[in-house]
Coordinates of all heavy atoms in Angstrom, one line a residue:
M694 N 43.3 -41.4 -2.5 CA 44.0 -40.7 -3.4 C 44.0 -39.0 -3.0 O 43.1 -38.6 -2.8 CB 43.3 -40.8 -4.7 CG 44.1 -40.1 -5.9 SD 43.3 -40.4 -7.5 CE 43.8 -39.1 -8.4
A695 N 45.3 -38.6 -2.9 CA 45.4 -37.2 -2.6 C 45.0 -36.3 -3.7 O 45.3 -36.6 -4.9 CB 46.8 -36.8 -2.2
R696 N 44.3 -35.3 -3.4 CA 43.9 -34.3 -4.3 C 44.6 -33.0 -4.2 O 44.7 -32.4 -3.2 CB 42.4 -34.1 -4.1 CG 41.8 -33.1 -5.1 CD 40.3 -32.9 -5.1 NE 39.9 -31.7 -5.7 CZ 39.1 -30.9 -5.0 NH1 38.5 -31.1 -3.9 NH2 38.9 -29.8 -5.6
S697 N 45.2 -32.5 -5.2 CA 46.1 -31.3 -5.1 C 45.2 -30.1 -5.3 O 44.4 -30.0 -6.2 CB 47.2 -31.3 -6.3 OG 48.0 -30.2 -6.2
M698 N 45.5 -29.2 -4.4 CA 44.7 -27.9 -4.5 C 45.8 -26.8 -4.8 O 46.2 -26.1 -3.8 CB 44.0 -27.6 -3.3 CG 42.9 -28.7 -3.0 SD 41.9 -28.3 -1.6 CE 43.1 -28.8 -0.4
K699 N 46.3 -26.6 -6.0 CA 47.4 -25.8 -6.3 C 46.9 -24.2 -6.3 O 45.9 -24.0 -6.7 CB 47.9 -26.2 -7.6 CG 48.6 -27.5 -7.5 CD 49.6 -27.7 -8.8 CE 50.0 -29.2 -8.4 NZ 51.2 -29.5 -9.2
V700 N 47.8 -23.3 -6.0 CA 47.6 -22.0 -6.0 C 47.9 -21.5 -7.4 O 48.9 -21.8 -7.9 CB 48.5 -21.2 -5.0 CG1 48.4 -19.7 -5.1 CG2 48.4 -21.7 -3.7
K701 N 46.9 -20.7 -8.0 CA 47.1 -20.2 -9.4 C 48.2 -19.1 -9.4 O 48.4 -18.3 -8.4 CB 45.8 -19.7 -9.8 CG 44.7 -20.6 -10.1 CD 43.5 -19.9 -10.4 CE 42.3 -20.9 -10.5 NZ 41.0 -20.2 -10.8
Q702 N 49.0 -19.1 -10.4 CA 50.0 -18.1 -10.6 C 49.4 -16.7 -10.4 O 50.2 -15.8 -9.9 CB 50.8 -18.3 -11.8 CG 51.7 -19.4 -11.7 CD 52.7 -19.4 -13.1 OE1 52.1 -19.0 -14.1 NE2 53.9 -19.8 -12.8
S703 N 48.2 -16.3 -10.8 CA 47.7 -15.1 -10.7 C 47.3 -14.7 -9.3 O 47.1 -13.5 -9.0 CB 46.5 -14.9 -11.7 OG 45.5 -15.8 -11.3
E704 N 47.1 -15.6 -8.5 CA 46.7 -15.4 -7.0 C 47.9 -15.0 -6.2 O 49.0 -15.6 -6.4 CB 46.1 -16.7 -6.4 CG 44.7 -17.1 -6.9 CD 44.2 -18.3 -6.1 OE1 44.3 -18.3 -5.0 OE2 43.8 -19.3 -6.9
E705 N 47.7 -14.3 -5.1 CA 48.7 -14.1 -4.2 C 48.9 -15.5 -3.5 O 47.8 -15.9 -3.1 CB 48.4 -12.9 -3.2 CG 48.4 -11.6 -3.8 CD 49.8 -11.2 -4.1 OE1 50.7 -11.4 -3.3 OE2 50.0 -10.5 -5.2
P706 N 50.0 -15.8 -3.2 CA 50.1 -17.3 -2.5 C 49.3 -17.3 -1.2 O 48.6 -18.3 -0.9 CB 51.6 -17.4 -2.3 CG 52.2 -16.6 -3.4 CD 51.3 -15.3 -3.6
M707 N 49.4 -16.3 -0.4 CA 48.7 -16.5 0.9 C 47.1 -16.4 0.7 O 46.3 -17.1 1.4 CB 49.1 -15.2 1.9 CG 48.6 -15.5 3.3 SD 49.3 -17.0 4.0 CE 48.1 -17.3 5.3
A708 N 46.6 -15.6 -0.3 CA 45.2 -15.6 -0.5 C 44.7 -16.9 -1.0 O 43.6 -17.4 -0.6 CB 44.9 -14.5 -1.6
G709 N 45.5 -17.7 -1.8 CA 45.1 -19.0 -2.3 C 45.0 -20.0 -1.2 O 44.1 -20.7 -1.0
I710 N 46.0 -19.9 -0.3 CA 46.1 -20.7 0.9 C 45.0 -20.5 1.8 O 44.3 -21.3 2.4 CB 47.6 -20.7 1.6 CG1 48.6 -21.2 0.7 CG2 47.5 -21.4 2.9 CD1 50.0 -20.9 1.1
A711 N 44.7 -19.2 2.1 CA 43.6 -18.8 3.0 C 42.3 -19.4 2.5 O 41.5 -19.9 3.3 CB 43.6 -17.3 3.0
Q712 N 42.0 -19.2 1.2 CA 40.8 -19.8 0.6 C 40.6 -21.3 0.8 O 39.6 -21.7 1.2 CB 40.7 -19.5 -0.9 CG 39.5 -19.9 -1.5 CD 39.5 -19.6 -3.0 OE1 40.5 -19.5 -3.7 NE2 38.3 -19.4 -3.6
R713 N 41.8 -22.1 0.7 CA 41.7 -23.4 0.8 C 41.6 -23.8 2.3 O 40.9 -24.8 2.6 CB 42.9 -24.0 0.2 CG 42.8 -24.1 -1.4 CD 44.1 -24.1 -2.0 NE 43.9 -24.0 -3.5 CZ 43.7 -22.9 -4.1 NH1 43.6 -21.7 -3.6 NH2 43.7 -23.0 -5.4
I714 N 42.1 -23.1 3.2 CA 42.0 -23.4 4.5 C 40.4 -23.1 5.0 O 39.9 -23.9 5.7 CB 43.0 -22.5 5.4 CG1 44.4 -23.2 5.2 CG2 42.5 -22.3 6.9 CD1 45.5 -22.3 6.0
R715 N 39.9 -22.1 4.6 CA 38.5 -21.8 4.8 C 37.6 -22.9 4.3 O 36.7 -23.3 5.0 CB 38.1 -20.4 4.3 CG 36.6 -20.1 4.3 CD 36.4 -19.3 5.6 NE 35.1 -19.1 5.9 CZ 34.3 -17.9 5.9 NH1 34.9 -16.9 5.7 NH2 33.1 -17.9 6.1
K716 N 37.9 -23.3 3.1 CA 37.0 -24.3 2.5 C 37.2 -25.6 3.1 O 36.2 -26.3 3.5 CB 37.5 -24.6 1.0 CG 36.9 -23.5 0.1 CD 37.4 -23.7 -1.3 CE 36.6 -24.6 -2.1 NZ 36.9 -24.6 -3.6
A717 N 38.3 -26.0 3.6 CA 38.6 -27.1 4.4 C 37.8 -27.1 5.7 O 37.3 -28.1 6.3 CB 40.1 -27.5 4.6
R718 N 37.9 -25.9 6.4 CA 37.3 -25.6 7.7 C 35.8 -25.9 7.5 O 35.1 -26.6 8.3 CB 37.6 -24.3 8.4 CG 37.0 -24.1 9.6 CD 37.3 -22.8 10.2 NE 36.9 -21.6 9.4 CZ 35.7 -21.1 9.4 NH1 34.7 -21.7 10.0 NH2 35.5 -19.9 8.7
D719 N 35.1 -25.1 6.5 CA 33.7 -25.3 6.3 C 33.3 -26.6 5.9 O 32.2 -27.1 6.4 CB 33.4 -24.3 5.1 CG 33.5 -22.7 5.4 OD1 33.4 -22.6 6.6 OD2 33.4 -22.0 4.6
A720 N 34.1 -27.4 5.2 CA 33.8 -28.9 4.8 C 33.7 -29.7 6.1 O 33.0 -30.7 6.0 CB 34.8 -29.3 3.8
R721 N 34.4 -29.3 7.1 CA 34.3 -30.2 8.2 C 33.3 -29.6 9.2 O 33.1 -30.2 10.3 CB 35.8 -30.1 9.0 CG 36.8 -31.0 8.2 CD 38.2 -30.5 8.6 NE 39.2 -31.4 7.9 CZ 39.4 -31.5 6.7 NH1 38.9 -30.6 5.8 NH2 40.3 -32.1 6.0
G722 N 32.7 -28.6 8.9 CA 31.7 -27.9 9.8 C 32.2 -27.4 11.1 O 31.6 -27.2 12.0
W723 N 33.5 -27.0 11.0 CA 34.2 -26.3 12.2 C 34.1 -24.9 12.1 O 34.2 -24.2 11.2 CB 35.7 -26.7 12.2 CG 36.0 -28.1 12.4 CD1 35.1 -29.2 12.6 CD2 37.3 -28.8 12.2 NE1 35.9 -30.4 12.6 CE2 37.2 -30.1 12.4 CE3 38.5 -28.2 12.1 CZ2 38.3 -31.0 12.4 CZ3 39.7 -29.0 12.0 CH2 39.5 -30.5 12.2
S724 N 33.9 -24.4 13.4 CA 33.9 -22.8 13.4 C 35.3 -22.5 13.5 O 36.3 -23.4 13.7 CB 33.2 -22.4 14.9 OG 34.0 -23.0 16.0
Q725 N 35.6 -21.1 13.5 CA 36.9 -20.6 13.7 C 37.5 -21.0 15.0 O 38.7 -21.4 15.1 CB 37.1 -19.2 13.4 CG 36.9 -18.7 12.0 CD 37.1 -17.3 11.9 OE1 37.0 -16.5 12.8 NE2 37.4 -16.8 10.6
E726 N 36.5 -21.0 16.1 CA 37.0 -21.2 17.4 C 37.4 -22.8 17.4 O 38.5 -23.2 18.1 CB 35.9 -21.0 18.5 CG 36.3 -21.2 19.8 CD 37.3 -20.3 20.4 OE1 37.4 -19.1 20.0 OE2 38.1 -20.7 21.2
E727 N 36.6 -23.6 17.0 CA 37.0 -25.1 17.0 C 38.3 -25.4 16.4 O 39.2 -26.0 16.7 CB 35.9 -26.0 16.3 CG 36.2 -27.4 16.5 CD 35.2 -28.3 16.1 OE1 34.1 -27.8 15.8 OE2 35.3 -29.5 16.3
T728 N 38.5 -24.8 15.2 CA 39.8 -24.9 14.4 C 40.9 -24.3 15.3 O 42.1 -25.0 15.3 CB 39.6 -24.1 13.1 OG1 38.5 -24.6 12.3 CG2 40.9 -24.4 12.3
A729 N 40.7 -23.2 15.9 CA 41.8 -22.7 16.7 C 42.1 -23.7 17.8 O 43.3 -23.9 18.1 CB 41.3 -21.4 17.3
V730 N 41.2 -24.2 18.6 CA 41.4 -25.1 19.6 C 42.2 -26.3 19.2 O 43.2 -26.7 19.8 CB 40.2 -25.6 20.4 CG1 40.3 -26.8 21.2 CG2 39.5 -24.3 21.0
R731 N 41.8 -26.8 18.0 CA 42.4 -28.0 17.4 C 43.9 -27.8 17.0 O 44.7 -28.7 17.1 CB 41.6 -28.7 16.3 CG 40.4 -29.3 16.6 CD 39.5 -29.7 15.6 NE 38.3 -30.2 15.9 CZ 38.1 -31.6 15.9 NH1 38.8 -32.4 15.4 NH2 36.8 -32.1 16.2
A732 N 44.1 -26.6 16.5 CA 45.4 -26.2 15.9 C 46.3 -25.5 17.0 O 47.5 -25.3 16.9 CB 45.3 -25.2 14.9
E733 N 45.7 -25.3 18.3 CA 46.4 -24.7 19.4 C 46.9 -23.4 19.0 O 48.1 -22.9 19.3 CB 47.5 -25.6 19.8 CG 47.1 -27.0 20.3 CD 48.2 -28.0 20.8 OE1 49.4 -27.6 20.6 OE2 47.8 -29.0 21.4
V734 N 46.0 -22.5 18.5 CA 46.2 -21.2 18.1 C 45.0 -20.3 18.6 O 44.0 -20.9 19.0 CB 46.5 -20.9 16.7 CG1 47.9 -21.6 16.2 CG2 45.4 -21.3 15.8
S735 N 45.0 -19.0 18.5 CA 43.9 -18.3 18.9 C 42.9 -18.2 17.7 O 43.2 -18.3 16.6 CB 44.4 -16.8 19.3 OG 44.8 -16.1 18.3
R736 N 41.6 -17.9 18.1 CA 40.6 -17.6 17.0 C 41.0 -16.5 16.2 O 40.7 -16.5 14.9 CB 39.3 -17.4 17.7 CG 38.2 -17.6 16.6 CD 37.0 -16.7 16.6 NE 37.3 -15.3 17.1 CZ 37.7 -14.3 16.3 NH1 37.8 -14.4 14.9 NH2 37.7 -13.1 16.7
P737 N 41.5 -15.3 16.7 CA 41.8 -14.2 15.8 C 42.9 -14.6 14.9 O 42.9 -14.1 13.7 CB 42.4 -13.2 16.9 CG 41.6 -13.4 18.0 CD 41.5 -14.9 18.1
T738 N 43.8 -15.7 15.2 CA 44.8 -16.0 14.3 C 44.2 -16.8 13.0 O 44.6 -16.6 11.9 CB 45.8 -17.0 15.0 OG1 46.5 -16.3 16.0 CG2 46.8 -17.6 14.0
I739 N 43.1 -17.7 13.4 CA 42.4 -18.3 12.2 C 41.7 -17.2 11.3 O 41.8 -17.3 10.2 CB 41.3 -19.3 12.7 CG1 41.9 -20.3 13.7 CG2 40.5 -19.8 11.7 CD1 42.8 -21.3 12.8
A740 N 41.3 -16.1 11.9 CA 40.5 -15.1 11.2 C 41.7 -14.4 10.3 O 41.4 -14.1 9.1 CB 39.9 -14.0 12.1
R741 N 42.8 -14.1 10.8 CA 43.9 -13.5 10.1 C 44.2 -14.4 8.9 O 44.5 -13.9 7.8 CB 45.1 -13.2 11.0 CG 44.9 -11.9 11.8 CD 46.2 -11.4 12.4 NE 47.1 -12.5 13.1 CZ 47.1 -13.0 14.3 NH1 46.2 -12.4 15.0 NH2 47.9 -13.8 14.6
I742 N 44.4 -15.7 9.2 CA 44.8 -16.6 8.1 C 43.8 -16.5 7.0 O 44.2 -16.6 5.9 CB 45.0 -18.0 8.7 CG1 46.2 -18.1 9.5 CG2 45.0 -18.9 7.5 CD1 46.5 -19.3 10.3
E743 N 42.5 -16.6 7.4 CA 41.4 -16.7 6.4 C 41.3 -15.3 5.5 O 40.7 -15.4 4.5 CB 40.1 -17.1 7.0 CG 40.1 -18.5 7.4 CD 38.9 -19.1 8.0 OE1 37.8 -18.2 8.0 OE2 38.8 -20.2 8.4
R744 N 41.8 -14.2 6.2 CA 41.8 -13.0 5.4 C 43.0 -12.9 4.5 O 43.0 -11.9 3.6 CB 42.0 -11.8 6.4 CG 40.6 -11.5 7.0 CD 40.7 -10.1 7.8 NE 41.9 -10.0 8.7 CZ 41.8 -10.1 9.8 NH1 40.6 -10.6 10.5 NH2 42.9 -10.0 10.7
G745 N 43.9 -13.8 4.7 CA 45.1 -13.8 3.7 C 46.3 -13.0 4.4 O 47.3 -12.7 3.6
D746 N 46.1 -12.6 5.8 CA 47.2 -11.8 6.4 C 48.4 -12.8 6.5 O 48.2 -14.0 6.7 CB 46.7 -11.3 7.7 CG 45.6 -10.3 7.6 OD1 45.4 -9.8 6.5 OD2 44.9 -10.0 8.5
D747 N 49.6 -12.2 6.7 CA 50.9 -12.9 7.0 C 50.8 -13.5 8.4 O 50.4 -12.8 9.3 CB 52.1 -12.0 6.7 CG 52.3 -11.8 5.2 OD1 51.9 -12.6 4.5 OD2 52.9 -10.8 5.0
V748 N 51.1 -14.8 8.5 CA 51.3 -15.4 9.8 C 52.7 -16.1 9.8 O 53.1 -16.3 8.6 CB 50.2 -16.3 10.3 CG1 48.8 -15.5 10.5 CG2 50.0 -17.4 9.2
S749 N 53.1 -16.6 10.8 CA 54.4 -17.3 10.8 C 54.2 -18.7 10.1 O 53.0 -19.3 10.1 CB 54.9 -17.6 12.2 OG 54.2 -18.6 12.9
T750 N 55.2 -19.2 9.5 CA 55.2 -20.6 9.0 C 54.7 -21.6 10.0 O 53.8 -22.4 9.8 CB 56.5 -21.0 8.3 OG1 56.9 -19.9 7.4 CG2 56.6 -22.3 7.6
A751 N 55.3 -21.5 11.2 CA 55.0 -22.5 12.2 C 53.4 -22.5 12.5 O 52.8 -23.5 12.6 CB 55.7 -22.2 13.4
T752 N 52.9 -21.3 12.6 CA 51.4 -21.2 12.8 C 50.7 -21.7 11.7 O 49.6 -22.4 11.9 CB 51.0 -19.7 13.0 OG1 51.7 -19.2 14.2 CG2 49.5 -19.5 13.3
L753 N 51.0 -21.4 10.5 CA 50.3 -22.0 9.2 C 50.4 -23.5 9.2 O 49.4 -24.2 9.1 CB 51.0 -21.3 8.1 CG 50.1 -21.5 6.8 CD1 48.8 -20.9 6.9 CD2 50.9 -20.8 5.7
V754 N 51.5 -24.1 9.6 CA 51.7 -25.5 9.6 C 50.7 -26.0 10.6 O 50.1 -27.1 10.3 CB 53.2 -25.9 9.9 CG1 53.3 -27.4 10.1 CG2 54.0 -25.6 8.6
K755 N 50.6 -25.5 11.9 CA 49.7 -26.0 12.9 C 48.2 -26.0 12.5 O 47.6 -27.0 12.5 CB 49.6 -25.1 14.2 CG 50.9 -25.2 15.0 CD 50.7 -24.3 16.1 CE 51.8 -24.4 17.2 NZ 51.6 -23.6 18.4
V756 N 47.8 -24.9 11.7 CA 46.3 -25.0 11.2 C 46.2 -26.0 10.0 O 45.2 -26.7 10.0 CB 46.1 -23.4 10.8 CG1 44.7 -23.5 10.1 CG2 46.1 -22.7 12.0
I757 N 47.1 -26.0 9.2 CA 47.0 -26.9 8.0 C 47.0 -28.3 8.5 O 46.2 -29.1 8.0 CB 48.2 -26.6 7.0 CG1 47.9 -25.3 6.3 CG2 48.4 -27.8 6.0 CD1 49.2 -24.9 5.6
S758 N 47.8 -28.7 9.5 CA 47.9 -30.1 10.1 C 46.6 -30.4 10.8 O 46.0 -31.5 10.6 CB 49.1 -30.2 10.9 OG 50.3 -30.0 10.3
A759 N 46.1 -29.4 11.6 CA 44.8 -29.6 12.2 C 43.7 -30.0 11.3 O 42.8 -30.7 11.6 CB 44.5 -28.3 13.2
L760 N 43.7 -29.4 10.1 CA 42.7 -29.6 9.1 C 43.0 -30.9 8.2 O 42.2 -31.1 7.4 CB 42.5 -28.3 8.1 CG 41.9 -27.2 8.9 CD1 42.2 -25.8 8.1 CD2 40.5 -27.3 9.0
G761 N 44.0 -31.5 8.5 CA 44.3 -32.8 7.7 C 44.8 -32.4 6.4 O 44.7 -33.1 5.4
L762 N 45.4 -31.2 6.1 CA 46.0 -30.9 4.8 C 47.6 -30.9 4.9 O 48.1 -31.0 6.1 CB 45.6 -29.4 4.5 CG 44.2 -29.1 4.4 CD1 43.9 -27.6 4.3 CD2 43.5 -29.8 3.4
T763 N 48.2 -30.9 3.9 CA 49.7 -30.7 3.7 C 49.9 -29.7 2.8 O 49.2 -29.1 2.1 CB 50.4 -31.9 3.4 OG1 49.9 -32.3 2.0 CG2 50.1 -33.2 4.2
V764 N 51.3 -29.2 2.9 CA 51.8 -28.1 2.1 C 52.9 -28.7 1.2 O 53.8 -29.2 1.8 CB 52.2 -26.8 2.8 CG1 52.9 -25.8 1.9 CG2 51.3 -26.2 3.5
E765 N 52.7 -28.4 -0.1 CA 53.9 -28.7 -1.0 C 54.5 -27.5 -1.5 O 53.7 -26.5 -1.7 CB 53.2 -29.6 -2.2 CG 52.7 -31.0 -1.8 CD 52.2 -31.5 -3.1 OE1 52.3 -31.1 -4.2 OE2 51.5 -32.5 -2.9
V766 N 55.7 -27.5 -1.8 CA 56.4 -26.2 -2.4 C 56.5 -26.7 -3.8 O 57.3 -27.7 -4.1 CB 57.7 -26.0 -1.7 CG1 58.4 -24.8 -2.3 CG2 57.3 -25.6 -0.2
A767 N 55.9 -26.1 -4.7 CA 56.0 -26.3 -6.1 C 57.4 -25.8 -6.7 O 58.0 -25.0 -6.0 CB 54.9 -25.6 -6.8
E768 N 57.7 -26.3 -7.9 CA 59.0 -25.8 -8.5 C 59.1 -24.3 -8.6 O 60.2 -23.8 -8.4 CB 59.0 -26.5 -9.9 CG 59.4 -27.9 -9.9 CD 59.5 -28.4 -11.4 OE1 60.0 -27.7 -12.2 OE2 59.1 -29.5 -11.5
A769 N 58.0 -23.6 -8.8 CA 58.1 -22.2 -9.1 C 58.2 -21.5 -7.6 O 58.2 -20.2 -7.6 CB 56.9 -21.7 -9.8
G770 N 58.1 -22.3 -6.6 CA 58.3 -21.7 -5.1 C 56.8 -21.4 -4.7 O 56.7 -20.9 -3.5
Q771 N 55.8 -21.7 -5.4 CA 54.4 -21.5 -4.8 C 54.1 -22.7 -3.9 O 54.5 -23.8 -4.2 CB 53.4 -21.3 -6.0 CG 53.7 -20.0 -6.7 CD 52.6 -20.0 -7.8 OE1 52.2 -20.9 -8.5 NE2 52.1 -18.7 -7.9
A772 N 53.2 -22.4 -3.0 CA 52.8 -23.4 -2.2 C 51.4 -23.9 -2.5 O 50.7 -23.2 -3.2 CB 52.6 -22.9 -0.6
A773 N 51.2 -25.2 -2.4 CA 50.0 -25.8 -2.8 C 49.5 -26.7 -1.6 O 50.2 -27.6 -1.2 CB 50.0 -26.7 -4.0
A774 N 48.3 -26.5 -1.2 CA 47.7 -27.3 -0.1 C 47.2 -28.6 -0.8 O 46.5 -28.6 -1.8 CB 46.6 -26.6 0.6
T775 N 47.5 -29.8 -0.2 CA 47.1 -31.0 -0.7 C 46.3 -31.8 0.5 O 46.9 -31.9 1.5 CB 48.3 -31.8 -1.1 OG1 49.1 -31.0 -2.1 CG2 47.8 -33.2 -1.7
R776 N 45.1 -32.3 0.2 CA 44.4 -33.1 1.1 C 45.0 -34.4 1.3 O 45.5 -35.0 0.4 CB 43.0 -33.1 0.6 CG 42.0 -34.0 1.5 CD 40.7 -34.1 0.9 NE 40.0 -32.8 0.7 CZ 39.2 -32.1 1.3 NH1 38.7 -32.8 2.4 NH2 38.8 -30.9 1.0
R777 N 45.3 -34.7 2.6 CA 45.8 -36.0 2.9 C 44.7 -37.1 2.6 O 43.6 -36.9 2.6 CB 46.1 -36.2 4.4 CG 47.1 -35.3 4.9 CD 47.4 -35.7 6.3 NE 48.3 -34.8 6.8 CZ 48.4 -34.5 8.1 NH1 47.7 -34.9 8.9 NH2 49.3 -33.6 8.5
A778 N 45.3 -38.3 2.2 CA 44.3 -39.3 1.8 C 43.5 -39.8 3.0 O 42.2 -40.0 2.7 CB 45.2 -40.6 1.3
A779 N 44.0 -39.8 4.1 CA 43.2 -40.1 5.4 C 42.7 -38.9 6.0 O 43.4 -38.0 6.4 CB 44.0 -40.9 6.4
E780 N 41.3 -38.8 6.1 CA 40.6 -37.7 6.7 C 40.7 -38.0 8.2 O 40.7 -39.0 8.7 CB 39.2 -37.7 6.3 CG 39.0 -37.3 4.8 CD 39.4 -35.8 4.6 OE1 39.1 -34.9 5.6 OE2 39.9 -35.5 3.4
P781 N 40.9 -36.7 9.1 CA 40.9 -36.8 10.5 C 39.5 -37.3 11.0 O 38.6 -37.3 10.6 CB 41.1 -35.5 10.9 CG 40.8 -34.6 9.8 CD 40.9 -35.4 8.5

């Protein structure tokens, strides 16, 4: 069963996504370096994402996919990360 991790309206969208990405990485026991290798991005890029800095959509999708997450676009235009039913 997929679990929705929606971004609260009071949160900046990127800050909410950043927090969920960090939690997913920590839950897997991955370092920023390991996450970067799996996502085919640099370690500083993972650090920027986790700080809530802006990155390209393509980069964000790579990281989210590597972590086994998906992105949904809610009716209000906010993004919500959703854990896939099948863990990597």
Side-chain angles (χ1 to χ4, degrees):
M694 181 174 156
R696 183 173 158 223
S697 179
M698 297 183 283
K699 297 192 180 199
V700 177
K701 296 177 186 175
Q702 282 188 324
S703 61
E704 289 182 50
E705 289 293 322
M707 194 56 202
I710 292 168
Q712 180 182 27
R713 283 152 183 81
I714 287 172
R715 172 95 188 242
K716 285 175 81 172
R718 180 179 65 78
D719 287 344
R721 285 160 180 73
W723 295 356
S724 65
Q725 286 184 343
E726 183 66 34
E727 182 173 358
T728 304
V730 168
R731 290 174 182 256
E733 299 179 351
V734 300
S735 68
R736 197 230 23 101
T738 295
I739 300 298
R741 283 196 316 272
I742 290 169
E743 290 185 0
R744 281 194 310 265
D746 294 348
D747 288 335
V748 295
S749 73
T750 302
T752 298
L753 194 56
V754 168
K755 283 181 172 184
V756 174
I757 288 169
S758 294
L760 289 166
L762 303 173
T763 60
V764 174
E765 293 178 10
V766 178
E768 285 182 35
Q771 290 183 318
T775 305
R776 183 179 303 255
R777 289 185 190 156
E780 291 291 324

